[in-house]
Amino acid sequence: MTTRPADAPTETAPAGTATADASTEPATANASTSTPADPAPAGTATGRTSADLTSTAPIPAGTATDPASAEAAPAEAAPVPEAADGADARATRRLRWLAFGGYFFLFGCLALVVVLVLGDALDGDGRGGPFTDAAFWAVPAGAAIGLVPLAAPRGLLPPVRRTVLVVAQYGAGVLAVLLQIADMV
C-alpha cells in the first residue's frame, strides 16, 4: 500500500468514479465541502487527497459523495418554514379546543334526543323505532370521532384532516337529533 504526498499532482477520474485513492482519505469525507489547500497551476489536473479535506463529519445516508453523481442523489424534503409551523400550531390548538367543545355540544344533543324520545313516548305510540336506536348510537360515535382530533399529536394529524374530524363530530350530534325527529314523524 502506497501513499502519495499531498502536493503531488494526480489525474482526475471520470465522473461517477472515486477521485482519490481509498487508502489516503477517510471514509467520512464529503466531496462537496472539500477545497484544495493551494490552487493548482493552469493545465494541472488535481485530485483530492487527505490534506485537501476540510470536513470529517459523517456523511448522512443517501448523500452523494462526488459532484458528478449529485443528480442521482434522492431529493430531500424541504424544511417547513417557521411561519408555517407556527400557523399549524395555532390551527391545531384552535381545533383541539373545538373538539373539546364538541363534547359539550354532543351532551346537549343527547339531552335534546332524550327530551324528544320522552315527548314521542307520551304523545305517540309509546315505543321508539329504529331511528331512535340510530340516534342514540350517533352520539357515542361522535364522541369517538372527536377523541382523535383532541388527542392526536400535531405531527401525526395535519390541520386539514383534524378539521374534517371536528366537523364530523359536530355532524354526528346534529345527525342524532335529526334521526330522532325522523322517528317521530
Side-chain angles (χ1 to χ4, degrees):
M1 179 182 315
T2 62
T3 60
R4 61 177 175 253
D7 58 350
T10 59
E11 293 182 12
T12 354
T17 60
T19 58
D21 188 21
S23 64
T24 61
E25 67 182 51
T28 60
N30 189 348
S32 63
T33 61
S34 66
T35 56
D38 52 51
T44 307
T46 61
R48 293 183 335 159
T49 62
S50 60
D52 295 339
L53 299 175
T54 59
S55 172
T56 59
I59 299 173
T63 304
T65 56
D66 68 332
S69 66
E71 296 83 32
E76 294 183 23
V80 176
E82 292 296 323
D85 191 36
D88 283 350
R90 285 189 302 274
T92 300
R93 193 174 307 118
R94 279 190 226 122
L95 289 168
R96 283 186 176 161
W97 278 107
L98 282 172
F100 182 70
Y103 283 103
F104 294 107
F105 179 76
L106 285 171
F107 181 73
C109 289
L110 178 64
L112 184 58
V113 166
V114 168
V115 167
L116 291 173
V117 166
L118 290 176
D120 185 38
L122 291 175
D123 294 337
D125 57 358
R127 60 187 171 93
F131 286 129
T132 299
D133 294 339
F136 279 116
W137 278 105
V139 174
I145 291 170
L147 187 62
V148 175
L150 183 64
R154 182 169 40 111
L156 184 64
L157 192 63
V160 173
R161 291 183 181 168
R162 197 176 298 264
T163 303
V164 169
L165 289 171
V166 169
V167 169
Q169 177 188 15
Y170 282 87
V174 171
L175 180 67
V177 173
L178 292 177
L179 285 170
Q180 180 52 40
I181 291 172
D183 188 64
M184 291 172 52
V185 175

